[in-house]
Amino acid sequence: MMKLKAENISFSYNKKRPILKDISLSLESNQIIGLIGDSGSGKSTLCKIMAGYITNFTGDVTIDGKEISRNGFDPVQLIFQHPEKTMNPKWKMEKVLRESWIPPQDLKDTFGLKDNWLTRWPSELSGGELQRFSILRALNPQTKFIIADEISTMLDAVTQVQIWEALIKHCRANDIGILAVSHDKDLLDVICDDILYFKELNHL
Amino acid sequence: MMSEMPWYNKGLFSSLNLRQKTLLTIGLTGLVLLVVFISGWMIDANLPTDFAIKMQAPSLSHPFGTDWMGRDMFTRTIKGLSLSIVIGIGASVISSIIATLLAFLASVNKWFDAFVSWLIDLFASIPHILLIMMISIALGKGAFGVIMAVAFSHWVNLTRVLRAEVLQINTSEYVALSNKLGRSKLWIAKEHILPLVLSQIFVGTLLVFPHAIMHEASVTFLGFGLSPHEPAIGIILSESMSYLAMGAWWLAFFPGLALLIVVLLFDIIGHNLKRLLDPGEANN
Ligand SMILES: Nc1ncnc2c1ncn2[C@@H]1O[C@H](COP(=O)(O)OP(=O)(O)OP(=O)(O)O)[C@@H](O)[C@H]1O
Ligand SMILES: [Mg+2]
């Protein structure tokens, strides 16, 4: 079991307006933690910091007390809110997936990934279909933690449940921790071991 | 909408849609240039001389007239045009390679970016023809010197465009994510960025073409380009200067006109291809 820790994170995009102040949270690899908060409060920013997309913050992000090596494959993978922006428009879906790894057929099936989608361009699939790819892409065997930033907002209720069930099943079986960011309190109540409130974490 | 359409796309093929017209224009223009190029290539550079028919005005048997050695000016012109096309291809391709390398170099870090921007400003501030003459002389004139000179003076515009484009792609989420998947900068440049700017490189190359041809002809005309033995249009034009006073207007008129037409045809292809590959800009 591993532990991902964010300690005393502070950040601002520009000096005048701080967004995050002294945020600390931790997540174990057998946990699913929910994070809920107002729109524009800085949740996505925190996610990007924890996943290594933003580096000029103050504070520490560690796994088991050690600084995370951000070169090479990052053990903390972020799944973005808008999947279409995370895919090269000139790449077929097969290549999009292969950039990370080649998932086994049964895993593709549990996420309802149809084989004929693989030969299409990103622009030829719906947001929900694309999001299945970005989730599957993040499940590379080297991944230890997943930061899911509002990954199911574009899905209908039934698909949302189906995808979350598949993701949770895989992560529980492979000892991958999840930080689930959402506006949907009901959803988080169902899937999470614990829920954090962004307001209470942020010491602005 | 109609008013934006170039003259050569109007009327004639009004039953076709815009895309088909554009393709047809590109096809026909390309064909004309190909025919000129191939026939020029098959002509032996040592044209037969016949002093019995020297300095003849245009006629049916010699549509462009003949020169002081009795050589057919039409044949000389075609030969010269095909040489212009070869030099144009060489110079455009090399200038696009330079532009691509510099645009990617600029994306490495902010110092390289500053260096490339400085280089762009430097080269943009020197008049093309001056730059071409200096480089051509430095490289010993000749075809190699001219190709390099034209190439090294024409990468600026494409570099500007590509640099901005690469910069934008580099800040995209899919490039950031690729990095988190452990992919190297070189891999990202090759797999993510290059395919996205390829069509721009292609169009950029074609758009440089007419400039390359014109500039080659001008430096050669001024005596800083190809050597007088080469069957180049620039050489034909500068030779004809001494005969113009004698009334041999056809020596300069037809080769000059033919060169302008070739330049125009390349320009048409370039702009049509740009519209085809970049429909947003022409908002068709
Ligand atoms: N690249 C950026 N540059 C400057 N400001 C930014 C940038 N990205 C976000 N912001 C600002 O930072 C604040 C927090 O944005 P963030 O996306 O983290 O909020 P969020 O909590 O994820 O909101 P939502 O629930 O709507 O997704 C917002 O006010 C936003 O305008
Ligand atoms: Mg957000």
Side-chain angles (χ1 to χ4, degrees):
Chain A
M1 200 199 57
M2 294 202 251
K3 191 167 190 165
L4 173 66
K5 251 177 134 169
E7 285 170 294
N8 304 319
I9 305 286
S10 299
F11 179 76
S12 58
Y13 283 104
N14 56 45
K15 298 272 178 329
K16 292 196 195 76
R17 201 168 67 95
I19 307 249
L20 310 176
K21 185 150 190 293
D22 282 335
I23 294 186
S24 298
L25 64 91
S26 71
L27 167 67
E28 294 181 0
S29 55
N30 60 358
Q31 276 185 319
I32 298 168
I33 303 282
L35 178 64
I36 201 161
D38 297 338
S39 188
S41 56
K43 302 182 299 299
S44 296
T45 307
L46 179 63
C47 290
K48 283 182 183 160
I49 288 172
M50 293 185 68
Y53 285 84
I54 294 175
T55 50
N56 57 338
F57 61 94
T58 55
D60 295 301
V61 180
T62 55
I63 291 180
D64 293 341
K66 287 192 288 284
E67 202 72 31
I68 303 168
S69 154
R70 299 295 194 184
N71 305 319
F73 191 93
D74 201 311
V76 184
Q77 286 290 324
L78 174 63
I79 304 175
F80 289 75
Q81 193 168 353
H82 303 286
E84 65 280 1
K85 287 200 230 157
T86 68
M87 292 165 187
N88 188 321
K90 288 271 167 78
W91 280 18
K92 294 257 177 80
M93 297 313 297
E94 199 168 15
K95 188 166 182 184
V96 170
L97 202 52
R98 191 154 32 87
E99 187 181 22
S100 173
W101 69 309
I102 299 168
Q105 189 60 43
D106 62 321
L107 198 59
K108 285 194 233 172
D109 292 340
T110 37
F111 280 93
L113 210 85
K114 302 213 175 68
D115 274 337
N116 71 58
W117 294 352
L118 288 170
T119 54
R120 297 202 207 161
W121 306 105
S123 61
E124 293 169 345
L125 292 173
S126 75
E129 289 163 350
L130 289 177
Q131 195 61 299
R132 295 165 210 243
F133 278 94
S134 57
I135 294 170
L136 210 51
R137 179 170 61 177
L139 294 180
N140 182 306
Q142 292 166 266
T143 303
K144 298 296 171 230
F145 293 94
I146 282 187
I147 315 279
D149 187 6
E150 302 188 49
I151 60 170
S152 56
T153 36
M154 78 280 287
L155 302 173
D156 63 83
V158 177
T159 322
Q160 181 164 333
V161 170
Q162 183 201 345
I163 299 242
W164 269 110
E165 268 178 0
L167 180 60
I168 289 169
K169 181 163 157 264
H170 181 86
C171 290
R172 293 263 193 235
N174 291 278
D175 199 30
I176 298 173
I178 303 178
L179 180 70
V181 178
S182 178
H183 290 127
D184 190 345
K185 176 95 171 30
D186 296 337
L187 172 76
L188 293 184
D189 278 337
V190 175
I191 63 170
C192 296
D193 303 319
D194 196 5
I195 295 183
L196 304 171
Y197 292 87
F198 195 80
K199 269 202 298 285
E200 294 168 13
L201 293 179
N202 204 358
H203 300 91
L204 264 184
Chain B
M1 186 86 160
M2 281 303 282
S3 61
E4 284 175 18
M5 219 184 287
W7 57 268
Y8 43 79
N9 273 350
K10 279 182 202 154
L12 208 50
F13 313 111
S14 46
S15 65
L16 302 175
N17 69 31
L18 198 61
R19 190 186 152 77
Q20 288 166 326
K21 278 182 202 171
T22 313
L23 278 173
L24 194 70
T25 314
I26 294 174
L28 287 177
T29 343
L31 190 69
V32 172
L33 291 169
L34 198 67
V35 168
V36 170
F37 175 68
I38 291 176
S39 34
W41 189 65
M42 292 191 308
I43 295 169
D44 184 1
N46 298 311
L47 292 178
T49 56
D50 180 356
F51 288 95
I53 53 163
K54 68 173 186 182
M55 294 304 257
Q56 288 194 347
S59 64
L60 273 182
S61 51
H62 300 287
F64 287 11
T66 62
D67 65 7
W68 60 97
M69 288 163 83
R71 289 176 297 188
D72 179 45
M73 283 309 288
F74 179 74
T75 322
R76 282 193 82 191
T77 302
I78 297 290
K79 183 77 191 168
L81 290 179
S82 83
L83 184 65
S84 296
I85 293 174
V86 173
I87 291 185
I89 291 176
S92 318
V93 168
I94 293 175
S95 85
S96 294
I97 292 173
I98 296 171
T100 309
L101 289 178
L102 285 177
F104 277 96
L105 185 71
S107 74
V108 173
N109 62 37
K110 64 173 189 289
W111 289 287
F112 282 119
D113 189 50
F115 170 70
V116 171
S117 300
W118 173 79
L119 218 55
I120 289 176
D121 291 340
L122 178 71
F123 274 74
S125 66
I126 309 173
H128 275 178
I129 195 76
L130 193 69
L131 194 63
I132 294 174
M133 274 160 41
M134 290 188 326
I135 299 175
S136 179
I137 293 170
L139 293 177
K141 304 188 196 173
F144 175 74
V146 172
I147 289 179
M148 284 304 170
V150 174
F152 273 88
S153 55
H154 282 79
W155 52 268
V156 172
N157 281 338
L158 185 59
T159 308
R160 274 208 190 103
V161 173
L162 289 181
R163 177 183 160 272
E165 192 74 9
V166 171
L167 209 66
Q168 202 206 331
I169 298 170
N170 251 325
T171 56
S172 70
E173 288 184 355
Y174 51 85
V175 166
L177 192 130
S178 188
N179 183 253
K180 294 287 115 192
L181 293 174
R183 298 299 181 173
S184 69
K185 278 197 161 178
L186 198 65
W187 192 91
I188 290 174
K190 189 165 132 293
E191 300 289 329
H192 275 290
I193 304 175
L194 196 60
L196 286 169
V197 295
L198 213 53
S199 63
Q200 247 142 341
I201 295 175
F202 195 61
V203 171
T205 312
L206 273 166
L207 288 177
V208 164
F209 226 104
H211 294 260
I213 290 179
M214 278 310 262
H215 277 123
E216 178 268 312
S218 348
V219 277
T220 302
F221 177 78
L222 294 172
F224 300 103
L226 300 178
S227 81
H229 320 296
E230 304 278 1
I233 297 284
I235 297 294
I236 295 177
L237 291 178
S238 63
E239 277 178 0
S240 70
M241 287 301 117
S242 23
Y243 299 93
L244 275 186
M246 295 161 56
W249 55 273
W250 61 89
L251 290 182
F253 179 75
F254 289 112
L257 187 66
L259 185 73
L260 280 181
I261 291 173
V262 165
V263 165
L264 189 70
L265 291 183
F266 271 117
D267 207 47
I268 289 175
I269 293 191
H271 282 105
N272 274 281
L273 214 62
K274 190 172 169 182
R275 276 152 29 109
L276 205 63
L277 295 176
D278 204 4
E281 196 215 9
N283 74 70
N284 291 321

